Amino acid sequence: QVQLVESGGGLVQAGGSLRLSCAASGLTFSLYTMGWFRQAPGKEREFVALINWSGGTDSVKGRFTISRDNAKNTVYLQMNSLKAEDTAVYYCAATSGAVRYKEAEYDYWGQGTQVTVSS
C-alpha cells in the first residue's frame, strides 16, 4: 500500500532552518504531484507548497523551498528564517492531479511531523 513518511521536524529557534523529508513507497512517485500542508493548533490544515512531476513548484511562503528526488522517492521542504507562527504539524501528501492546492484533492497523506519554533 501507499506510505508517506515524514521526518526532520523538531524544535528550532526563531530565525533557524529545518529541512523536512517525506519518503514515499507503494506508488509511482515520479508521476505524482507532491504537496506539503501544515496544521497549527486550533487552525485548519493549510497548503504550504507543491511540486509537480516535471519539477514545477509553487509555495505560499517565500522562505520555504520544495524539491524532490525521484531516484529516492523523496520530497523535501527546506524552511528558512523560521518564525513562531510556523509552528505546526507538517504533512506531505500525494496527488495524481497536475496542480492541486486543496486538501481534498490529495489522494495520500503522511502522519505528519511536528515543527516547533521558539521565539
Side-chain angles (χ1 to χ4, degrees):
Q1 75 274 20
V2 175
Q3 283 194 315
L4 302 178
V5 180
E6 301 97 336
S7 61
L11 175 64
V12 63
Q13 288 188 334
S17 298
L18 279 176
R19 188 177 81 154
L20 306 182
S21 300
C22 172
S25 60
L27 75 170
T28 307
F29 179 77
S30 61
L31 298 182
Y32 279 74
T33 291
M34 301 299 296
W36 284 97
F37 289 74
R38 69 183 186 184
Q39 187 167 22
K43 295 187 177 181
E44 293 187 350
R45 192 149 53 180
E46 64 177 1
F47 169 81
V48 174
L50 65 82
I51 184 166
N52 67 15
W53 64 272
S54 64
T57 64
D58 196 5
S59 172
V60 297
K61 300 292 182 183
R63 299 175 286 114
F64 295 178
T65 303
I66 189 171
S67 61
R68 67 190 298 160
D69 185 338
N70 288 341
K72 296 182 178 180
N73 284 4
T74 301
V75 62
Y76 305 97
L77 185 68
Q78 177 68 43
M79 304 186 295
N80 298 326
S81 302
L82 284 162
K83 304 176 180 180
E85 53 261 41
D86 295 319
T87 294
V89 177
Y90 284 71
Y91 299 89
C92 78
T95 177
S96 56
V99 176
R100 298 289 183 265
Y101 296 94
K102 297 182 181 180
E103 184 179 346
E105 294 172 320
Y106 281 74
D107 305 306
Y108 305 106
W109 291 85
Q111 293 299 306
T113 185
Q114 176 71 48
V115 171
T116 303
V117 184
S118 63
S119 57

